[in-house]
Amino acid sequence: MRIGMIGLGRMGANMVRRLLKGGHGCVAYDRSAEAVKAVAAHGAQGAATPAELVRSLPAPRVVWIMVPAALVDSVIAELRPLLARGDVLIDGGNSYYHDDIRRATELGSAGIRYLDVGTSGGVLGFEQGYCLMIGGEAEAVALVEPALATLAPGGRLPAGATTADAGGRGSAASRAAAALGYLHCGPSGAGHFVKMVHNGIEYGLMAAYAEGLNVLAHADAGRTTATADAETAPLAEPRFYQYQLDLAAIAEVWRHGSIIASRLLDLTAAALEKDAQLGGFAGHVADSGEGRWTVQAAIEVGVPAQVLSAALYSRFESRGRAEFANRLLSAMRLGFGGHVERSP
């Protein structure tokens, strides 16, 4: 099939390349002419404007947007007058699922079908494929399923793939599709809802690796003579903390046969192998919204999510958002006990 791609950043460009490799035609647009030129070198047709991209697609046209969530509405506003009844517009970024429900309704009034596709795979997706979590009408999903199947790790449609049945379920909603790396999760918003929780889980997993390895990094605390004063809790048994451990080697051995092996652990091991001190990082950890939305959803439906919440708050703290609270704690300790704050 022939598909338009708007947004040629780290993921969008590689998705175009994977689609081309799978035999699809791609028309590509980005505000950066250099980004367009780069994918054109791989066989995509470059477009100078969104209007040119739309004109270059056969009806019903399929346009995939890969831009930051904050820019999606402005891109849709530019595309809407260019699209016609029956066309399909896909948001493959990390939009809030509430926005997907609104957009599907607004676009649906003009007969434009909207799909929200949570896309996981990052910079490794070109070679390994993308995990795709899809929300929207079954008929629209069936129309674009050949492209979805190519982008997914399996790289193909399920055996005996069919269009939507009388119950509205197509092959993309099947376990067979899920086993290939893509799944029609439900109506509008469902794809990004599932991806939202996926990213919340990601926060928790990342925090667990980081905290565990941090314990190992300080397993030599007993080798340092601690200050003996009223402001410092003493290490009761320094002899138990004499280990100078090779964290890169530990992360590597965990990758082989361990129950905690994962792609995140692979990335962790590679980072530690490159620089065991991680000197190129300041430790200011961003959050792009999905973790917050996951915790908010958990609160609204009354589901406990302690690990995901703690991981999110840890990211806030890493960016200095606890600095005032910590200064206030020091002020209170000075006030009630004369405790003078010590330098770390």
Side-chain angles (χ1 to χ4, degrees):
M1 65 180 298
R2 189 168 174 81
I3 189 168
M5 181 71 72
I6 294 179
L8 303 174
R10 289 170 296 183
M11 291 183 68
N14 279 340
M15 291 170 71
V16 169
R17 292 176 59 201
R18 187 169 174 89
L19 286 166
L20 292 168
K21 185 179 178 181
H24 300 281
C26 289
V27 185
Y29 168 75
D30 191 277
R31 288 181 297 181
S32 167
E34 289 300 314
V36 176
K37 183 178 179 181
V39 296
H42 291 281
Q45 177 183 334
T49 65
E52 181 183 342
L53 179 142
V54 171
R55 288 196 302 269
S56 301
L57 296 171
R61 291 162 290 201
V62 177
V63 180
W64 191 307
I65 304 171
M66 286 298 291
V67 301
L71 301 179
V72 172
D73 280 327
S74 63
V75 173
I76 290 177
E78 188 172 3
L79 286 171
R80 183 169 177 171
L82 305 173
L83 299 175
R85 181 172 297 276
D87 290 345
V88 178
L89 187 58
I90 302 169
D91 175 15
N94 282 323
S95 288
Y96 190 28
Y97 76 99
H98 288 192
D99 293 328
D100 293 317
I101 296 171
R102 168 180 57 81
R103 291 167 185 153
T105 300
E106 292 172 351
L107 291 166
S109 66
I112 300 168
R113 295 172 287 182
Y114 176 85
L115 299 178
D116 51 282
V117 179
T119 307
S120 181
V123 296
L124 303 177
F126 170 65
E127 293 182 354
Q128 300 181 11
Y130 300 89
C131 174
L132 303 175
M133 296 145 271
I134 308 146
E137 296 179 358
E139 292 79 3
V141 175
L143 179 67
V144 302
E145 188 170 1
L148 298 170
T150 297
L151 288 169
R156 62 176 178 83
L157 291 164
T162 60
T163 57
D165 59 24
R169 290 176 55 88
S171 60
S174 68
R175 294 288 181 86
L180 293 171
Y182 70 100
L183 181 69
H184 182 199
C185 301
S188 295
H192 278 150
F193 186 88
V194 173
K195 178 57 161 54
M196 174 187 79
V197 176
H198 163 285
N199 282 24
I201 293 169
E202 180 183 292
Y203 282 27
L205 292 172
M206 292 172 71
Y209 284 126
E211 291 179 10
L213 285 161
N214 196 31
V215 173
L216 295 179
H218 291 85
D220 62 350
R223 300 173 66 88
T224 302
T225 302
T227 302
D229 58 36
E231 303 302 318
T232 307
L235 185 61
E237 295 284 356
R239 64 194 177 95
F240 293 145
Y241 301 98
Q242 298 287 321
Y243 304 116
Q244 293 182 305
L245 302 172
D246 184 341
L247 299 189
I250 290 168
E252 180 62 28
V253 75
W254 284 350
R255 294 180 58 232
H256 305 281
S258 166
I259 198 66
I260 64 169
S262 72
R263 183 176 293 185
L264 285 172
L265 183 59
D266 294 344
L267 298 173
T268 300
L272 290 170
E273 179 63 28
K274 184 176 181 180
D275 177 7
Q277 301 303 315
L278 303 176
F281 302 94
H284 302 154
V285 188
D287 75 285
S288 54
E290 300 83 24
R292 301 185 191 204
W293 302 333
T294 301
V295 172
Q296 181 178 340
I299 292 170
E300 290 181 351
V301 301
V303 173
Q306 297 96 325
V307 171
L308 308 189
S309 299
L312 175 64
Y313 294 148
S314 176
R315 293 193 177 204
F316 295 163
E317 187 170 11
S318 79
R319 304 198 299 270
R321 303 299 286 182
E323 184 178 350
F324 179 79
N326 291 334
R327 290 202 304 269
L328 192 55
L329 289 172
S330 290
M332 286 187 280
R333 292 187 77 247
L334 178 64
F336 68 67
H339 301 287
V340 177
E341 188 177 62
R342 299 181 62 88
S343 299

